[in-house]
Amino acid sequence: MKRSLEHIEYKEDTEALAKFAKALGHPTRIAILKHLESQSCCFTGDLVDVFPLAQSTISQHLKELKNAGLIQGELKPPKIKYCINKENWKIAKSLFQQFFD
Amino acid sequence: MKRSLEHIEYKEDTEALAKFAKALGHPTRIAILKHLESQSCCFTGDLVDVFPLAQSTISQHLKELKNAGLIQGELKPPKIKYCINKENWKIAKSLFQQFFD
DNA sequence: TTTTCTTATCGTAAAATTACGATGAACGAT
DNA sequence: ATCGTTCATCGTAATTTTACGATAAGAAAA
């Protein structure tokens, strides 16, 4: 990209909302989150069984959701249990809520 | 991408939500929508004045928001007046609402 | 008809995204 | 110490996104 301009500074809420939205901007990730909501938690392997995607692809989506703060992983050797990050979930919820009025 | 697998079919709601989320997944577009909400409507040129971005860039963001159905353009020659698409806005709102519980 | 104003679209380039298979790291079990 | 299981990360490739300037399209005005 021709990026002559330095990064534009938006309000904190705007950036935060965009970040959450971006993480939600893929059907696989929505589906993963819905699955997590219904199960409350689950392992990577469970998702690999549910979705017709490579293990590495699932892992990549999980990473993005984790980076966005929507989920968190708990070590349960040799597995990792993923759950919704309820704290940030609430933040995201209220950001979307107030955005849509 | 190595796309050996055909496109995965998700539930309609999942696809719809991801589409809305993706459109919201950029701070500039969030800011544009917030601006539209406060003003109810505005012209492309107004936005070019507000944001330090090229006219073509603004136009591109508007196109994405329009493609996602979040805004609509009304011909007001020689300008185009953009407004929130209230019908789809409501749909998006309820999709996010039910997603977050 | 030509000019002017506004906005969209085109062409381009850099970066990010999304997918895959292969490999590596962490841990328990053998 | 080695093996097996689980998951993350690496390397790669195609596609999409995001930005820019330049150009085209549309309608009113001169």
Side-chain angles (χ1 to χ4, degrees):
Chain A
M1 301 186 234
K2 273 171 272 178
R3 290 285 143 79
S4 53
L5 294 161
E6 66 279 37
H7 179 248
I8 301 171
E9 282 297 326
Y10 292 98
K11 283 190 202 143
E12 204 178 322
D13 277 8
T14 298
E15 299 270 13
L17 183 53
K19 188 179 165 188
F20 283 129
K22 190 171 191 179
L24 297 177
H26 195 283
T28 295
R29 290 197 288 270
I30 296 286
I32 287 174
L33 288 171
K34 281 187 175 176
H35 192 81
L36 276 180
E37 272 188 301
S38 69
Q39 308 271 318
S40 86
C41 288
C42 79
F43 304 104
T44 307
D46 301 344
L47 298 169
V48 175
D49 293 338
V50 172
F51 299 99
L53 295 167
Q55 179 266 320
S56 56
T57 303
I58 298 285
S59 195
Q60 219 170 297
H61 282 304
L62 287 171
K63 188 184 179 181
E64 287 201 48
L65 290 172
K66 200 167 59 183
N67 285 343
L70 289 169
I71 63 172
Q72 63 198 145
E74 187 190 339
L75 257 81
K76 217 82 173 173
K79 302 189 182 183
I80 293 172
K81 197 173 76 174
Y82 280 105
C83 306
I84 301 285
N85 183 323
K86 288 181 182 172
E87 205 177 325
N88 289 331
W89 191 265
K90 250 171 75 180
I91 293 173
K93 176 181 178 169
S94 80
L95 279 174
F96 279 105
Q97 220 160 36
Q98 76 184 76
F99 177 73
F100 281 108
D101 279 348
Chain B
M1 300 185 234
K2 274 171 273 176
R3 288 287 142 79
S4 54
L5 293 162
E6 65 279 36
H7 179 251
I8 301 171
E9 283 297 327
Y10 292 98
K11 283 191 203 144
E12 205 177 320
D13 277 8
T14 298
E15 298 269 14
L17 183 54
K19 189 178 164 189
F20 283 129
K22 190 170 190 177
L24 298 177
H26 196 283
T28 295
R29 291 198 286 272
I30 296 285
I32 288 174
L33 289 170
K34 281 188 176 178
H35 192 81
L36 276 179
E37 272 190 299
S38 69
Q39 308 269 318
S40 85
C41 287
C42 79
F43 303 105
T44 306
D46 301 344
L47 298 170
V48 176
D49 293 338
V50 172
F51 298 99
L53 295 167
Q55 179 265 322
S56 56
T57 301
I58 298 287
S59 195
Q60 219 170 297
H61 282 304
L62 288 171
K63 189 185 178 181
E64 288 201 48
L65 290 172
K66 199 167 61 184
N67 285 345
L70 288 169
I71 63 172
Q72 64 199 142
E74 187 189 340
L75 257 80
K76 219 80 176 175
K79 301 190 185 182
I80 294 173
K81 196 173 74 173
Y82 280 105
C83 306
I84 302 283
N85 182 323
K86 288 183 184 171
E87 205 178 325
N88 290 331
W89 191 264
K90 249 171 74 179
I91 293 173
K93 176 181 177 172
S94 79
L95 279 175
F96 278 104
Q97 220 159 36
Q98 76 184 78
F99 177 73
F100 282 107
D101 281 346

